């Protein structure tokens, strides 16, 4: 028999705050974390804004020497994992560390390190490239360094499925626990790609908002005047445990993770299927895995990145999956406040679903001012809403057509 799996810890580093309480207070208060980029001079970029993490000090979480050997995305992962482990009240000294694993998602990995060392190569030659360039850059180092930092000997995997990365990571961690491969999994995502090259690439695609004069209003999912996504950075790590293990140690339980669905559009390298077939399949698979009917879902944290095509396709998919119930659901996009954390987005939004169930408050979609006739659901516009949420669903869709959906239930 498959084991039940619950969420017992959360660690957050985000553009609207580091630490769970600051993050949640900002989200429910409708606070935007979007501002002009400060990590480099964005003057020559068509998009000059992003959701930067401005309150993270790695010295509070990491040894200085070790921190220098980590890209920013890895620093985020190790710090957020520490916060999640502490929040879960886990005493790793008494746990069987062979039964504690790590699965993280990162869409881009250490691109900051890649850019720095490419410059060294061009200006000073190959002999001056750092000997730890490769292990700082590669995407698996977030998960690897979490395991090294906390001495976790269980399964260790990295999911790289673009913007679905950390939702796939959480889904795979959930399945490992269900199938008995571990007792505890540290899972979620991490990303730090607000760099000149990454931003230039997205600008050249014309995928990002150019609302540079009003950064806090640039990310406007479902709004008729949306003009592209806003890049964000950060990390969200969740502690998942088998219910049996959590109860045995008297853990506080936020919510149960009950379902996971995954699919591919098989349509285009960047554009979503405009009919939303892959998204539909992902949601239906997750609901089936959770043993629920679509009508039992109270809230969806939408992928909704604020792109004209993507938001419309997701709404179409939701309508096709939920029918008349689509108009009774609350659907919000917290990317309106955090921007799009790319490979870490699914982890952050899973945490939002868990907190929504636990705290009884649905975060809003801010900047919703001009209705789009094709996006006509209840998007919890501009103001948070108190509501009892028993079942929440989180969608993540990535370049290449990767789709992942997670279902969380009140425990």
């Amino acid at each position: 028999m498959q084991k039940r799996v619950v969420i017992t810890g959360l660690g957050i580093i985000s553009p609207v705050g580091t630490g769970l309480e600051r993050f949640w207070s900002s989200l429910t208060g409708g606070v935007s974390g979007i501002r002009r980029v400060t990590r480099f001079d964005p003057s020559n970029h068509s998009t000059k804004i992003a959701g930067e993490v401005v309150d993270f000090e790695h010295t509070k979480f990491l040894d200085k020497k070790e921190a220098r050997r980590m890209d920013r995305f890895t620093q985020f992962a190790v710090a957020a994992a520490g916060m999640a482990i502490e929040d879960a009240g886990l005493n790793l000294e008494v746990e069987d560390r062979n039964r504690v694993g790590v699965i993280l998602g990162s869409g881009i990995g250490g691109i900051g390190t890649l850019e720095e060392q490419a410059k060294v190569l061009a200006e000073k030659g190959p002999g001056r490239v750092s000997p730890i360039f490769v292990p700082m850059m590669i995407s698996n180092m977030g998960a690897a360094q979490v395991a090294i930092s906390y001495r976790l000997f269980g399964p260790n995997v990295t999911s790289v499925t673009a913007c679905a990365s950390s939702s796939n990571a959480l889904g795979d961690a959930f399945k490992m626990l269900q199938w008995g491969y571990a007792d505890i999994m540290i899972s979620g995502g991490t990303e730090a790609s607000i760099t000149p090259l990454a931003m230039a690439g997205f600008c050249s695609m014309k995928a990002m908002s150019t609302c540079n004069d009003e950064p806090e209003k640039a990310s406007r999912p479902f709004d008729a005047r949306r003009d592209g996504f806003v890049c964000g950075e950060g990390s969200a790590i969740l502690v998942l445990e088998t219910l049996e293990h959590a109860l045995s140690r008297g853990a506080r339980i936020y919510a149960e993770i009950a379902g996971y669905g995954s699919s591919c559009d098989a349509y285009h390298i960047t554009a979503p299927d405009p009919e939303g077939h892959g998204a539909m399949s992902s949601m239906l698979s997750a609901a089936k895995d959770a043993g629920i009917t679509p009508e039992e879902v109270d809230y969806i944290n939408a992928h909704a990145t604020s792109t004209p095509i993507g938001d419309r396709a997701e709404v179409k998919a939701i309508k096709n999956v939920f029918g008349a119930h689509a108009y009774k659901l609350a659907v919000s996009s917290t990317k309106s406040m955090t921007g799009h954390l790319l490979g870490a987005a699914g982890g952050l939004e899973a945490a939002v679903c868990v907190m929504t169930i636990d705290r009884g408050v649905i975060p809003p979609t801010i900047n919703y001012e001009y209705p789009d006739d094709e996006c006509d659901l209840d998007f919890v516009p501009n103001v948070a809403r108190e509501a009892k949420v028993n079942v929440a669903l989180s969608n993540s869709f990535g370049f290449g057509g990767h789709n992942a959906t997670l279902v969380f239930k009140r425990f």
Side-chain angles (χ1 to χ4, degrees):
M1 189 174 79
Q2 289 184 335
K3 297 175 183 285
R4 291 173 68 185
V5 179
V6 293
I7 311 297
T8 59
L10 301 167
I12 306 290
I13 297 169
S14 84
V16 296
T18 291
L20 184 58
E21 294 305 327
R22 184 170 182 185
F23 168 70
W24 188 246
S25 175
S26 295
L27 275 196
T28 53
V31 175
S32 172
I34 312 303
R35 56 186 64 82
R36 185 180 173 89
V37 169
T38 62
R39 296 193 58 76
F40 64 91
D41 180 2
S43 298
N44 293 328
H45 287 65
S46 56
T47 295
K48 310 177 199 310
I49 57 175
E52 293 181 329
V53 172
V54 296
D55 63 347
F56 175 71
E57 296 179 31
H58 65 76
T59 54
K60 291 183 178 179
F61 303 96
L62 302 161
D63 174 79
K64 286 184 179 180
K65 181 179 178 181
E66 289 302 312
R68 285 196 296 269
R69 300 165 68 87
M70 298 179 188
D71 185 90
R72 184 170 168 87
F73 93 105
T74 301
Q75 292 179 359
F76 284 164
V78 174
M83 285 189 269
I85 290 167
E86 181 180 2
D87 185 52
L90 271 178
N91 179 1
L92 292 172
E93 297 303 316
V94 302
E95 296 294 340
D96 179 356
R97 293 171 190 255
N98 294 298
R99 301 280 299 169
V100 185
V102 183
I103 303 184
L104 298 187
S106 185
I108 295 179
I111 192 167
T113 296
L114 174 63
E115 290 183 41
E116 289 169 7
Q117 294 302 309
K119 185 177 180 182
V120 170
L121 174 65
E123 295 178 353
K124 300 179 180 179
R128 298 295 296 276
V129 170
S130 169
I132 57 170
F133 157 54
V134 172
M136 283 180 68
M137 174 198 69
I138 50 182
S139 297
N140 68 297
M141 259 325 133
Q145 288 281 26
V146 168
I148 291 166
S149 296
Y150 302 104
R151 303 285 290 166
L152 309 176
F153 305 122
N156 194 288
V157 181
T158 297
S159 172
V160 183
T161 50
C163 306
S165 295
S166 51
S167 286
N168 281 133
L170 283 160
D172 292 346
F174 165 52
K175 290 301 169 185
M176 279 205 169
L177 291 165
Q178 271 197 329
W179 297 333
Y181 292 116
D183 298 320
I184 303 168
M185 293 297 293
I186 311 299
S187 187
T190 186
E191 203 80 275
S193 51
I194 300 174
T195 69
L197 180 60
M199 290 278 286
F202 286 128
C203 287
S204 294
M205 288 173 58
K206 302 190 184 307
M208 292 199 297
S209 172
T210 54
C211 185
N212 297 307
D213 295 334
E214 291 186 290
E216 69 283 352
K217 290 191 172 185
S219 185
R220 43 196 318 119
F222 306 117
D223 185 271
R225 296 191 179 183
R226 64 192 184 275
D227 71 332
F229 79 88
V230 178
C231 193
E233 64 175 356
S235 179
I237 307 292
L238 289 73
V239 175
L240 283 64
E241 300 182 54
T242 63
L243 175 60
E244 178 184 21
H245 185 275
L247 293 176
S248 73
R249 68 178 190 88
R252 183 242 1 251
I253 294 171
Y254 282 110
E256 181 173 1
I257 179 168
Y260 171 43
S262 182
S263 71
C264 187
D265 287 356
Y267 175 78
H268 189 268
I269 58 171
T270 57
D273 176 354
E275 297 302 313
H277 292 306
M280 288 170 54
S281 175
S282 182
M283 285 186 273
L284 287 168
S285 294
K288 182 179 180 181
D289 188 46
I292 61 166
T293 63
E295 289 74 25
E296 290 178 76
V297 176
D298 302 305
Y299 168 62
I300 298 176
N301 187 290
H303 180 66
T305 64
S306 188
T307 63
I309 297 173
D311 292 7
R312 191 179 305 128
E314 186 171 9
V315 168
K316 184 173 287 189
I318 290 170
K319 289 178 180 178
N320 286 335
V321 169
F322 292 93
H325 186 63
Y327 292 92
K328 301 174 185 178
L329 283 165
V331 180
S332 73
S333 173
T334 44
K335 289 184 180 77
S336 59
M337 294 170 277
T338 66
H340 186 4
L341 271 65
L342 308 178
L348 196 72
E349 290 152 19
V352 171
C353 287
V354 168
M355 289 294 287
T356 295
I357 290 169
D358 184 66
R359 300 286 177 93
V361 180
I362 299 174
T365 305
I366 68 167
N367 301 321
Y368 186 76
E369 298 174 317
Y370 302 96
D372 177 341
D373 290 343
E374 293 185 79
C375 296
D376 58 349
L377 303 179
D378 174 8
F379 300 123
V380 195
N382 304 311
V383 179
R385 178 184 304 163
E386 291 188 7
K388 183 177 181 180
V389 174
N390 291 312
V391 179
L393 183 150
S394 180
N395 278 333
S396 297
F397 311 136
F399 283 177
H402 302 283
N403 306 302
T405 300
L406 299 167
V407 175
F408 300 92
K409 293 171 67 176
R410 179 178 297 279
F411 176 69

